[in-house]
Amino acid sequence: MYLVHFGHSLEGKFIRSINHMDSFLRDRLRKQGKFSDFFIEWKEREFTETDIDEDKLLKDLEVLSQNMGMKEGIIIGCIDYRDLSLAFFTDNVEEIMGYPSSFFRKKGMEAVLTMLHPEDVPELAKFQKIVFDLLQELSREEMDTFEFTYMVRWIHRDTKEIKWFACKVRPYLIDRNKNVVFDLHVLLLLTTPPQVSNFDWSYSYTSKEGNKIHASKREPKTINFKLTRKESLISDMILEGKSSIEIATELNISKNTVNTHRKNILKKLNAKTTAEMVKILLNTRMN
């Protein structure tokens, strides 16, 4: 078990059974393409029990929000990836975005997806995959320092006004298998649009060696490498979230051949891990 709570740990115990998504949420997610695949796949991971008192954890989150005084334009939310519900959120989201609190309690992640600007959905999906792939490769000590930020557009339910939010996120509860059970979002409504035109992101953490690691959507701005036609095709399929087996089946080649191409792509990009390779490929296509 591993717990991150903005710098301090909590102890206890909880046992919670995994609920199934309702059919409405599953259908809604499927309409989001690869975004749905990612979240459904993550939900179906083998989560393990932890030694944390979940009720106490969420009560502490309530205290945190109260201590912040719920300043105007700040929303705090906590996603439960076991069933894609919202384990916690501040009710002021209704005042800011026009959706009733009951909608978020009933629909969970589907409610969040409903508010997203359609152009930001695929970008958020790509970034979410980068984050969770990276988290699987980090040590628990490194995960303790991990955080990411992003700029995203939400659309008001009634006025259809586009509202920009700056979001800061940290893992809140991680199980023994290094699955993110909860992550904690602090969202700030921006009074003026940022200097970016669409979804933007960055992440940082401290390595085991004590080095500060930082990456963003716009870094690196230029990368010099040349892929073969087959490598380029396979890299596109990797960005679509396809596995080596799926790629091999679709291209009618062996899995070993796909793995050889993946190794060549890693070498050309000077990437040490798949997560790093995906980040470089994604950055290259966005710049």
Side-chain angles (χ1 to χ4, degrees):
M1 183 281 302
Y2 198 72
L3 169 69
V4 178
H5 188 192
F6 287 95
H8 69 276
S9 297
L10 302 171
E11 296 184 355
K13 181 177 182 180
F14 80 86
I15 299 176
R16 174 175 176 176
S17 61
I18 300 175
N19 298 322
H20 294 292
M21 284 188 300
D22 59 38
S23 59
F24 178 77
L25 174 55
R26 184 177 289 274
D27 290 342
R28 178 74 183 192
L29 285 172
R30 280 176 175 159
K31 294 179 182 179
Q32 302 292 344
K34 288 298 174 182
F35 200 36
S36 70
D37 293 343
F38 166 77
F39 282 110
I40 291 175
E41 177 185 355
W42 190 268
K43 173 189 172 292
E44 293 174 349
R45 296 176 69 90
E46 185 177 350
F47 290 94
T48 61
E49 297 179 2
T50 72
D51 299 322
I52 296 301
D53 184 334
E54 184 176 345
D55 290 336
K56 185 176 186 303
L57 182 70
L58 297 177
K59 286 179 181 178
D60 283 354
L61 192 53
E62 176 69 30
V63 172
L64 173 65
S65 64
Q66 292 174 355
N67 289 341
M68 292 181 64
M70 289 323 303
K71 298 178 181 178
E72 184 177 356
I74 295 179
I75 299 172
I76 297 178
C78 186
I79 299 172
D80 186 338
Y81 286 97
R82 296 167 299 186
D83 58 8
L84 301 184
S85 65
L86 295 182
F88 174 85
F89 63 93
T90 49
D91 288 338
N92 60 339
V93 66
E94 179 175 353
E95 177 184 349
I96 295 174
M97 295 306 303
Y99 290 86
S101 297
S102 58
F103 179 58
F104 293 94
R105 294 189 182 94
K106 182 178 180 181
K107 300 303 180 184
M109 178 63 75
E110 191 275 335
V112 177
L113 294 179
T114 299
M115 298 190 302
L116 280 173
H117 191 290
E119 293 179 3
D120 286 350
V121 170
E123 304 305 322
L124 177 57
K126 293 173 184 177
F127 176 54
Q128 200 80 19
K129 179 173 176 55
I130 290 174
V131 167
F132 281 91
D133 283 349
L134 176 59
L135 283 172
Q136 288 293 289
E137 297 178 2
L138 298 182
S139 68
R140 295 188 183 276
E141 292 76 18
E142 290 171 330
M143 295 173 85
D144 188 16
T145 66
F146 186 86
E147 65 181 28
F148 62 92
T149 61
Y150 60 89
M151 299 283 188
V152 68
R153 292 170 289 180
W154 282 356
I155 301 177
H156 193 279
R157 185 188 69 167
D158 301 320
T159 66
K160 307 306 177 185
E161 177 187 1
I162 296 175
K163 296 191 176 187
W164 277 96
F165 286 84
C167 309
K168 184 173 183 179
V169 189
R170 294 190 67 177
Y172 193 51
L173 177 62
I174 301 173
D175 70 12
R176 295 185 181 94
N177 286 344
K178 295 205 301 184
N179 296 316
V180 176
V181 181
F182 293 163
D183 62 9
L184 185 56
H185 295 245
V186 178
L187 304 95
L188 172 64
L189 175 63
L190 302 179
T191 56
T192 58
Q195 295 183 352
V196 296
S197 59
N198 56 14
F199 185 84
D200 195 31
W201 58 263
S202 67
Y203 68 76
S204 66
Y205 66 93
T206 302
S207 70
K208 291 182 294 185
E209 296 74 24
N211 300 318
K212 187 71 172 182
I213 309 298
H214 180 273
S216 72
K217 177 180 175 181
R218 289 166 288 176
E219 296 176 357
K221 294 184 178 180
T222 58
I223 303 174
N224 296 317
F225 63 89
K226 186 175 182 180
L227 301 179
T228 66
R229 183 177 179 181
K230 182 60 70 65
E231 289 168 349
S232 180
L233 176 59
I234 290 176
S235 69
D236 288 338
M237 298 173 79
I238 291 172
L239 287 180
E240 291 173 4
K242 294 181 179 179
S243 67
S244 292
I245 294 177
E246 291 173 326
I247 295 173
T249 301
E250 189 168 332
L251 299 182
N252 196 27
I253 58 179
S254 71
K255 180 182 176 182
N256 288 338
T257 299
V258 174
N259 289 336
T260 297
H261 284 302
R262 292 178 71 114
K263 290 178 182 178
N264 290 337
I265 296 170
L266 280 166
K267 184 176 180 180
K268 288 184 177 182
L269 271 57
N270 195 28
K272 296 180 180 179
T273 65
T274 298
E276 185 177 359
M277 175 182 69
V278 169
K279 181 178 76 68
I280 292 174
L281 289 172
L282 181 57
N283 282 336
T284 302
R285 282 156 174 73
M286 289 179 173
N287 290 294

